[in-house]
Amino acid sequence: MGQRSKGALRACLEAAAHATTDECIYLDQHKGFRPRGTVNGRRTTASRAVWTIRHSDPGEQHVLHSCNGGSGETGCINIRHMYLGDDPQNSADKIAAGRSNRGTRHGNHKLTGQQVAEIRRRYRPRGRNGNSGRALAAEFGVSPTCITHVVTGKRWDWLK
């Protein structure tokens, strides 16, 4: 990135840090990936850079977005849409906005939501009718531990 484009990016970040509009503000040239910027010599996400310009470095806290357009590929950087949160809030925000990679969106998933529901419906702790954790694990091609995590809610807990 040349010196001129760095200056243009900094100007966009400054403008977003002092926004007076309630509309989402996007960095068009950064469509398709999370926008990044540099503040105080540190490369960071554009939203974190905007927060730092306006308020100071948020430290360990996450910069979250009330518009749910702030993370991922869209990258809203309007300061009026930002607030600080901790890890659990950040995770809940990702889930609410549909940006979580849980379930079948996770690259290592082995079960579908339909299979999870079937396992929970059929599981019997004592294995009556062949529905023990071991039998179900063999049938669905997963480990008995996976079946235990499914039926206890340690995994796929959002599916009730």
Side-chain angles (χ1 to χ4, degrees), residues 70-111:
S71 296
E73 296 176 3
T74 55
C76 172
I77 58 168
N78 186 335
I79 191 67
R80 297 177 73 158
H81 297 176
M82 297 179 195
Y83 64 99
L84 295 181
D86 56 16
D87 284 333
Q89 288 170 305
N90 190 36
S91 294
D93 187 56
K94 280 195 310 190
I95 291 166
R99 294 186 311 270
S100 172
N101 68 342
R102 65 186 184 169
T104 55
R105 292 180 71 182
H106 191 281
N108 292 329
H109 81 278
K110 293 190 178 184
L111 298 172

Side-chain angles (χ1 to χ4, degrees), residues 23-43:
E23 301 297 318
C24 286
I25 299 171
Y26 300 105
L27 294 172
D28 292 334
Q29 68 271 28
H30 293 280
K31 292 279 186 201
F33 60 94
R34 179 178 277 192
R36 304 204 46 93
T38 302
V39 175
N40 301 332
R42 289 185 61 199
R43 188 126 172 94

